[in-house]
Amino acid sequence: MLNDNPESVDMTVLSKFPEYQEFRARKRGKPVEQSVAVVADEVSPSESIGQIVEDSYDELAAELLDRILAQPPTFLETLSLKLLRAMGYGGKESLLDHTGKPGDSGLDGIVRQDALALELVGVPAKRFDKGNTVQRPDIQAFVGALQGAQTTRGVFVTTGKFSLGALQFAENVPMRLRLIDGKELTRLMVRYNVGVQVRETFELKQIDEETFED
């Protein structure tokens, strides 16, 4: 539940679980169906709209991952750099270089955080199927590539997942590493408007208290 709702866990989220519905019913002494209605009444319009938007974003993220997997591997490489640029990496001058090619030493992109290239971020982008896992040796090779590029910072992007061994190794090495799996990749794309666009905008209005003040 926490993985699916990282921002907040409110009544709308909890009401989806039969166990919580039964708990509410026992607490109020009402049938489960009535309890669900009570939960819905306690949710504000803002919360309801927010939940609908979050659900739509989850569906959009899942579709994005399918679309990425249908593209050639180089698409993920350039897409990863676009996302990092949208997130503010590369500074005002957007100093990001696509280096993905045969013999690229394991790094598909280099981000220069300053014009003098004193702070570099290495970026490998690996297109894996949803069920495939990046293992510890892949992260070890990543660390070696960063050392070859003379930097201690890196962002590993994949459309697959990371094994527990890979995650633990990344945490224990004396480098600043960030591992982004397919699920987080597409959520970040939605958040920073990469590969998506706003379709509709709605306004939720409330009373202007100043109008009714003496």
Side-chain angles (χ1 to χ4, degrees):
M1 179 180 66
L2 293 175
N3 288 335
D4 293 336
N5 302 275
E7 298 294 335
S8 65
V9 178
D10 53 23
M11 302 286 282
T12 304
V13 175
L14 293 176
S15 64
K16 297 179 181 179
F17 294 88
E19 295 85 355
Y20 184 73
Q21 297 174 13
E22 294 175 1
F23 166 75
R24 296 285 297 183
R26 290 195 305 269
K27 184 176 180 180
R28 295 177 177 273
K30 298 179 180 180
V32 174
E33 293 78 5
Q34 294 184 23
S35 176
V36 174
V38 171
V39 172
D41 290 341
E42 294 177 358
V43 177
S44 68
S46 179
E47 290 175 329
S48 299
I49 294 174
Q51 187 61 49
I52 293 172
V53 171
E54 287 299 320
D55 291 343
S56 70
Y57 284 175
D58 289 341
E59 295 177 3
L60 181 59
E63 184 179 351
L64 278 171
L65 187 56
D66 290 334
R67 297 289 292 271
I68 294 172
L69 291 171
Q71 300 293 326
T74 54
F75 179 84
L76 178 61
E77 297 172 3
T78 56
L79 177 67
S80 299
L81 294 176
K82 288 180 181 178
L83 175 59
L84 290 174
R85 182 184 294 112
M87 295 173 68
Y89 286 87
K92 296 180 179 180
E93 299 179 6
S94 298
L95 303 173
L96 297 91
D97 299 322
H98 180 213
T99 59
K101 57 184 178 180
D104 58 14
S105 301
L107 297 180
D108 301 307
I110 294 291
V111 179
R112 291 174 287 158
Q113 291 290 77
D114 62 282
L116 297 178
L118 296 177
E119 294 186 19
L120 301 179
V121 180
V123 184
K126 306 304 178 186
R127 191 190 68 174
F128 283 18
D129 289 337
K130 297 177 184 179
N132 288 1
T133 304
V134 176
Q135 301 293 332
R136 175 174 176 150
D138 298 307
I139 305 302
Q140 290 174 324
F142 173 35
V143 170
L146 292 177
Q147 292 173 337
Q150 299 183 342
T151 181
T152 59
R153 301 182 180 186
V155 180
F156 195 117
V157 180
T158 182
T159 49
K161 301 178 180 179
F162 293 98
S163 69
L164 180 60
L167 294 170
Q168 291 176 340
F169 180 81
E171 290 179 357
N172 294 328
V173 295
M175 289 185 168
R176 300 184 65 180
L177 306 182
R178 186 68 167 84
L179 309 185
I180 299 178
D181 62 15
K183 189 173 183 178
E184 184 176 7
L185 169 64
T186 52
R187 285 185 172 179
L188 289 172
M189 290 175 62
V190 173
R191 178 179 177 181
Y192 289 95
N193 293 319
V194 176
V196 300
Q197 59 183 353
V198 176
R199 186 181 66 185
E200 294 179 87
T201 301
F202 297 93
E203 293 183 339
L204 184 62
K205 300 184 179 182
Q206 63 181 18
I207 295 293
D208 179 7
E209 299 294 345
E210 293 183 359
T211 303
F212 300 93
E213 290 180 356
D214 294 334

